């Protein structure tokens, strides 16, 4: 029905746009997604930001680039996001924007580094908080139920005011 079309379409877009931006678009563009879990990049990429990154060789890194990597000595798969301040003889030195000081480590040598292409603030908070996957699943389910419910409503008939009889002539 034409009268319910704009409402239905906008609720569908509310669900589809984030899915396309965070799942499909990065995959098509060959990007990886990471969630910033610490406050080290506050001021540029705060905690809970989602960063889309592309693997680049060491030769493409420059001072000022932001990269995501597993820090030396890390025992988990957790990654950190830092700004490159120097690339000298194959050694990458980084810093956290919030401190302005060089990190106490040299970034591990690798064949490729995840250089940040785009950062999207706040939307990664469900992944930072405990139970984030559960919260995200509940939000997606609620959006789906809402989209289905708005599509099933019966359209209300349009009532037009009666035209007054006008004498001709």
């Amino acid at each position: 029905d034409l009268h319910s079309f704009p409402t239905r379409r906008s609720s569908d877009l509310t669900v589809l746009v984030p899915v396309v931006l965070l799942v499909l678009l990065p995959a098509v563009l060959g990007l990886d997604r990471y969630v910033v879990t610490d406050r080290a990049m506050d001021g540029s990429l705060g905690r809970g930001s989602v960063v889309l990154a592309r693997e680049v060789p060491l030769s493409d890194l420059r001072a000022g680039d932001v990269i995501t990597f597993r820090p030396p000595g890390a025992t988990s798969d957790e990654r950190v996001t830092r700004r490159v301040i120097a690339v000298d003889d194959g050694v990458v030195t980084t810093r956290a924007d919030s401190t302005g000081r060089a990190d106490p480590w040299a970034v591990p040598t690798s064949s490729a580094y995840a250089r940040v292409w785009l950062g999207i603030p706040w939307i990664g908070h469900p992944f930072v908080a405990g139970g984030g996957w559960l919260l995200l699943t509940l939000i997606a389910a609620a959006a789906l139920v809402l989209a289905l419910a708005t599509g099933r409503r019966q359209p209300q008939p349009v009532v037009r005011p009666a035209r007054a009889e006008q004498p001709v002539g």
Side-chain angles (χ1 to χ4, degrees), residues 57-122:
L58 174 65
S59 60
D60 284 358
L61 285 185
R62 304 284 180 261
D65 286 346
V66 177
I67 61 173
T68 296
F69 60 94
R70 190 172 298 121
T75 56
S76 68
D77 285 340
E78 188 169 328
R79 293 173 163 260
V80 296
T81 302
R82 298 289 195 271
R83 187 169 306 278
V84 174
I85 56 173
V87 181
D88 294 315
D89 296 323
V91 176
V92 179
T93 306
T94 59
R95 72 169 164 84
D97 282 359
S98 63
T99 65
R101 294 187 305 268
D103 289 323
W105 62 69
V107 177
T109 304
S110 114
S111 60
Y113 296 84
R115 181 171 57 195
V116 173
W117 182 70
L118 175 68
I120 306 166
W122 306 304

Side-chain angles (χ1 to χ4, degrees), residues 159-164:
V159 178
R160 294 192 176 122
R163 289 180 54 180

Side-chain angles (χ1 to χ4, degrees), residues 6-154:
T7 305
R8 168 80 190 234
R9 185 173 180 173
S10 64
S11 66
D12 290 349
L13 289 176
T14 303
V15 174
L16 291 178
V17 168
V19 169
V20 168
L21 289 178
L22 291 176
V23 178
L24 300 177
L25 186 63
V28 168
L29 295 176
L31 301 170
D32 295 314
R33 290 175 307 279
Y34 303 103
V35 177
V36 177
T37 58
D38 63 4
R39 298 192 186 281
M41 293 300 287
D42 280 356
S44 56
L45 292 169
R47 184 172 192 246
S49 294
V50 171
V51 295
L52 303 179
R54 175 170 286 142
E55 295 287 323
V56 298
L58 174 65
S59 60
D60 284 358
L61 285 185
R62 304 284 180 261
D65 286 346
V66 177
I67 61 173
T68 296
F69 60 94
R70 190 172 298 121
T75 56
S76 68
D77 285 340
E78 188 169 328
R79 293 173 163 260
V80 296
T81 302
R82 298 289 195 271
R83 187 169 306 278
V84 174
I85 56 173
V87 181
D88 294 315
D89 296 323
V91 176
V92 179
T93 306
T94 59
R95 72 169 164 84
D97 282 359
S98 63
T99 65
R101 294 187 305 268
D103 289 323
W105 62 69
V107 177
T109 304
S110 114
S111 60
Y113 296 84
R115 181 171 57 195
V116 173
W117 182 70
L118 175 68
I120 306 166
W122 306 304
I123 62 174
H125 276 289
F127 300 100
V128 174
W133 285 106
L134 177 62
L135 178 63
L136 187 64
T137 302
L138 290 174
I139 290 170
L144 179 63
V145 167
L146 182 63
L148 291 173
T150 58
R152 292 183 169 255
R153 279 193 209 150
Q154 293 298 321

